[in-house]
Amino acid sequence: MGELSTNLDPEIQEPIVPEMRVHRNHPIDNIIGDPYAGVQTRHRTITENTSLYTEIFDTGVMETCLHAVFVSQLEPKNVKEALTENCWIEAMQDELSQFQKLHVWDLVDLPKGFQPIGTRWVFKCKTDDRHVVVKNKARLVVQGFYQQEGLDYNEVYAPVARIEAIRLFLAYATYVGFKVYQLDVKSAFLYGKVHEEVYVTQPPGFEDPHNINKVYKLDKALYGLYQAPRAWYETLSKHLLSNGFDRGQIDSTLFIRKAGGDILLVQVYVDDIIFGSTNEGMCREFEKVMKSKFEMSNMGELSFFLGLQVSQRENGIYLHQTKYVQDILSKYKMSDSTTYGTPIPVNHGLHPDRDGKDVDSRLDCGIIGSLMYLTASRPDIMFAVCLCSRFQSQPKESHMIAVKRIFRYLKGKPRLGLWLVSWQCKKQSTVSVSTCEAEYIAAASGCSQILWIQQQLRDYGLNFTGTPLFIDNNATMSITNNPVKHSKTKHIEIRHHFIRDCAEKYLIELVKVHTDDNLADLFTKAFDRSRFEHLVNLIGMFNPE
């Protein structure tokens, strides 16, 4: 046999008898870090490296790349847990520093006859549309359920924009052709003035050790107070009105400013503000007006508002809730389910099913509530969701199967969006003795919605009359146009007959539509896949992919 090849140095003599050596002790020189430091917990690691984090951010090195490292991915369950992490401590300190900047409260002794309202921390990981955590938000809120009417608050009503008003605003922006922007007011409710005498306890974890028995007297509103939204709206509206804006005649959350032939529109939904103008300079001026009084983020194009994802394109504004669809599919463990082409079968056969197997009513109500919120941009599931919602009091297994069918439909079309402004699917509260009467009542309801849109558009500077109202029932058109048929309609409630006045004043125009082209059928019936998809396309819904 020839010599075995080896990679040893020729000068090294290989022992004849091999030695078995086991290193019981790892060489200290190869150990990374201090071997005598002990176990490094998550809390100790964060605390000891605080100076390193500060140095990195002070120099601006890799600030963007390291963002996720310094933002917590988990929401603490309580303040005790939050106080163990620097990121949440900083978030709470930011909130309290905002209180000090805006002179929200004063530390005082509690007067006799008053009971302080408790406070608590709410922690939230803010995410973008890709589910990436971008910010840790800590908010101190008041336990408002302890408030007593007449003592802690009086008037609490604050106007809130309807979701139809938001969609109409976006539709007008598409029609005129201007970009829509949004502003985020930081801690908006803290700007509202409190007129009542309200005392709250010191924030948990940040009590003054030298004045442990004292409480805070509120000068500004905190989140959780019943009167907080009203106080914020009063502050905002006064500021806008004093800077040349006019309030909408119909919608008090709409503010308008005109200059020459240009117009600036501002729509307010509590502390969320969207605006747009035919003159880009007016948008920049509005931003300066807002920043002169309120602290807020920079102006940006509207992309996410009230759970709606907004895509502003050259040919219009596309609304969808893709992120929300993915969230509820994941929440209810339907992400891997098979898909269906329609949300409900033609012969669904849904009924109370008294003898069926019971299911968890809380789970059923939660699912229905999630789907109802989705109908803000998905009229294609409106009929199916409304039908399933009728059985929430005593849900059965057959009802849960129908609800899951809706999820399977959404799984196949998560990005379906729309251009539509307003729609409604509602079971009539009155009992009709004929199809004609039911159609007549439905037409009156549709007429009221048309009048609201007409009045809303007047604030935009547009006047419309003779709006077509499509009806596929000849008898309904005859009753509306011919009051002489009162003998056959005397049992119909008087409030439904205002449609006759609207037709006489030419506010609406009744137009006969063939049943095959009646878009309202999508909200009242179940169809096969081909007919269903045809109606979905007719109402303006589409999938951009």
Side-chain angles (χ1 to χ4, degrees):
M1 294 179 64
E3 295 183 358
L4 295 175
S5 61
T6 176
N7 61 354
L8 293 176
D9 192 298
E11 297 180 359
I12 298 178
Q13 297 297 324
E14 183 179 1
I16 299 176
V17 180
E19 297 180 2
M20 302 298 293
R21 296 191 305 171
V22 177
H23 293 288
R24 299 175 59 186
N25 298 319
H26 191 78
I28 296 179
D29 295 339
N30 293 343
I31 297 177
I32 301 175
D34 185 3
Y36 304 103
V39 178
Q40 295 292 302
T41 63
R42 179 183 181 187
H43 173 60
R44 288 188 59 185
T45 303
I46 293 175
T47 304
E48 294 172 0
N49 290 319
T50 301
S51 60
L52 172 62
Y53 299 165
T54 305
E55 181 180 3
I56 291 176
F57 272 92
D58 287 344
T59 56
V61 179
M62 299 177 66
E63 182 175 353
T64 304
C65 297
L66 294 177
H67 172 74
V69 178
F70 305 102
V71 176
S72 177
Q73 306 296 311
L74 300 176
E75 297 175 359
K77 298 179 181 179
N78 50 55
V79 66
K80 183 178 180 180
E81 184 178 331
L83 290 172
T84 63
E85 297 191 51
N86 281 359
C87 52
W88 289 111
I89 293 176
E90 291 178 3
M92 289 186 284
Q93 289 175 340
D94 288 343
E95 178 80 349
L96 295 178
S97 64
Q98 192 74 6
F99 287 12
Q100 184 177 4
K101 184 186 301 184
L102 299 176
H103 306 288
V104 172
W105 54 20
D106 296 304
L107 191 63
V108 299
D109 293 318
L110 181 65
K112 293 182 179 181
F114 285 89
Q115 186 70 22
I117 304 173
T119 58
R120 68 183 182 91
W121 289 100
V122 176
F123 306 100
K124 184 69 175 178
C125 290
K126 298 289 187 177
T127 60
D128 57 13
D129 56 358
R130 298 171 299 168
H131 299 273
V132 177
V133 178
V134 297
K135 182 182 179 182
N136 293 142
K137 176 66 177 178
R139 174 161 286 161
L140 185 69
V141 301
V142 175
Q143 296 173 323
F145 49 84
Y146 285 120
Q147 287 186 272
Q148 300 179 20
E149 186 176 1
L151 179 63
D152 299 310
Y153 66 91
N154 293 306
E155 184 62 52
V156 298
Y157 171 77
V160 178
R162 298 172 56 181
I163 189 64
E164 295 96 327
I166 303 298
R167 290 195 294 258
L168 185 61
F169 183 98
L170 298 177
Y172 178 77
T174 301
Y175 172 74
V176 178
F178 60 71
K179 286 284 186 181
V180 180
Y181 302 94
Q182 64 183 136
L183 286 176
D184 182 22
V185 181
K186 187 175 182 180
S187 302
F189 283 5
L190 302 185
Y191 292 93
K193 181 73 173 178
V194 175
H195 302 291
E196 298 83 7
E197 194 171 353
V198 181
Y199 299 88
V200 299
T201 60
Q202 298 185 40
F206 293 85
E207 295 87 353
D208 188 344
H210 303 292
N211 299 283
I212 196 67
N213 294 323
K214 289 191 175 184
V215 296
Y216 280 106
K217 180 183 179 182
L218 294 184
D219 184 57
K220 303 290 182 64
L222 289 185
Y223 285 84
L225 288 179
Y226 283 129
Q227 62 266 48
R230 180 180 179 86
W232 155 245
Y233 174 78
E234 289 180 353
T235 301
L236 177 63
S237 60
K238 288 179 180 178
H239 181 63
L240 293 179
L241 294 175
S242 64
N243 282 274
F245 282 85
D246 294 321
R247 205 194 320 256
Q249 296 295 323
I250 304 301
D251 186 359
S252 55
T253 64
L254 178 68
F255 295 89
I256 308 129
R257 185 177 183 180
K258 298 180 180 179
D262 295 316
I263 184 173
L264 171 66
L265 300 174
V266 179
Q267 187 78 59
V268 179
Y269 189 93
V270 192
D271 57 346
D272 292 318
I273 301 173
I274 61 174
F275 62 98
S277 174
T278 53
N279 186 336
E280 195 69 20
M282 296 183 70
C283 292
R284 304 298 173 185
E285 184 179 351
F286 170 70
E287 184 182 15
K288 293 179 181 178
V289 168
M290 292 296 293
K291 288 187 175 180
S292 65
K293 185 175 181 63
F294 309 110
E295 184 176 349
M296 56 184 54
S297 59
N298 293 330
M299 179 179 68
E301 288 189 15
L302 178 65
S303 59
F304 198 81
F305 188 72
L306 302 180
L308 297 175
Q309 292 173 253
V310 183
S311 178
Q312 301 189 55
R313 306 183 178 189
E314 294 182 357
N315 59 338
I317 297 179
Y318 163 61
L319 298 179
H320 63 106
Q321 289 177 275
T322 304
K323 177 181 180 294
Y324 182 74
V325 171
Q326 295 171 347
D327 288 343
I328 61 175
L329 287 175
S330 176
K331 178 180 180 180
Y332 296 108
K333 299 178 175 58
M334 297 292 292
S335 299
D336 299 326
S337 60
T338 57
T339 62
Y340 279 99
T342 60
I344 189 171
V346 177
N347 300 316
H348 52 79
L350 283 179
H351 59 88
D353 194 10
R354 303 297 183 188
D355 299 327
K357 182 179 178 180
D358 291 333
V359 296
D360 186 358
S361 60
R362 294 183 61 183
L363 175 62
D364 182 75
C365 291
I367 295 176
I368 293 296
S370 300
L371 292 174
M372 288 296 292
Y373 181 70
L374 183 59
T375 58
S377 68
R378 297 293 296 265
D380 54 325
I381 66 171
M382 177 67 84
F383 172 70
V385 173
C386 289
L387 184 62
C388 292
S389 66
R390 299 178 186 176
F391 312 105
Q392 291 185 82
S393 59
Q394 294 181 336
K396 304 295 182 178
E397 191 173 24
S398 59
H399 306 143
M400 184 61 70
I401 293 174
V403 171
K404 290 184 176 180
R405 165 74 178 245
I406 303 176
F407 276 110
R408 291 188 169 96
Y409 167 73
L410 295 173
K411 174 67 166 52
K413 296 183 178 180
R415 288 185 54 81
L416 204 62
L418 81 159
W419 310 88
L420 203 59
V421 171
S422 178
W423 58 89
Q424 187 180 54
C425 177
K426 182 180 180 181
K427 190 175 182 179
Q428 290 185 4
S429 58
T430 58
V431 178
S432 301
V433 298
S434 65
T435 303
C436 171
E437 181 182 346
E439 295 278 1
Y440 183 74
I441 296 174
S445 178
C447 178
S448 63
Q449 189 71 358
I450 290 175
L451 294 180
W452 175 81
I453 293 177
Q454 288 178 344
Q455 293 169 342
Q456 185 84 347
L457 289 176
R458 289 194 188 100
D459 289 334
Y460 294 166
L462 301 177
N463 293 307
F464 288 98
T465 57
T467 303
L469 177 60
F470 296 97
I471 300 176
D472 64 351
N473 187 282
N474 290 324
T476 300
M477 298 182 65
S478 179
I479 292 175
T480 304
N481 294 326
N482 300 291
V484 296
K485 295 183 178 293
H486 60 83
S487 61
K488 296 183 180 180
T489 60
K490 59 185 179 182
H491 63 285
I492 301 177
E493 295 183 18
I494 297 177
R495 61 189 177 94
H496 299 302
H497 290 304
F498 81 98
I499 187 175
R500 294 177 176 176
D501 296 331
C502 295
E504 291 178 358
K505 296 176 182 177
Y506 200 61
L507 296 175
I508 62 170
E509 179 183 2
L510 302 184
V511 178
K512 182 69 169 66
V513 62
H514 194 275
T515 303
D516 294 340
D517 300 321
N518 191 351
L519 304 183
D521 284 347
L522 185 65
F523 307 115
T524 58
K525 303 178 182 68
F527 297 98
D528 57 34
R529 182 168 183 172
S530 60
R531 174 64 176 166
F532 176 80
E533 291 181 348
H534 174 67
L535 291 174
V536 167
N537 292 331
L538 283 181
I539 65 174
M541 300 191 70
F542 71 101
N543 194 329
E545 297 179 347

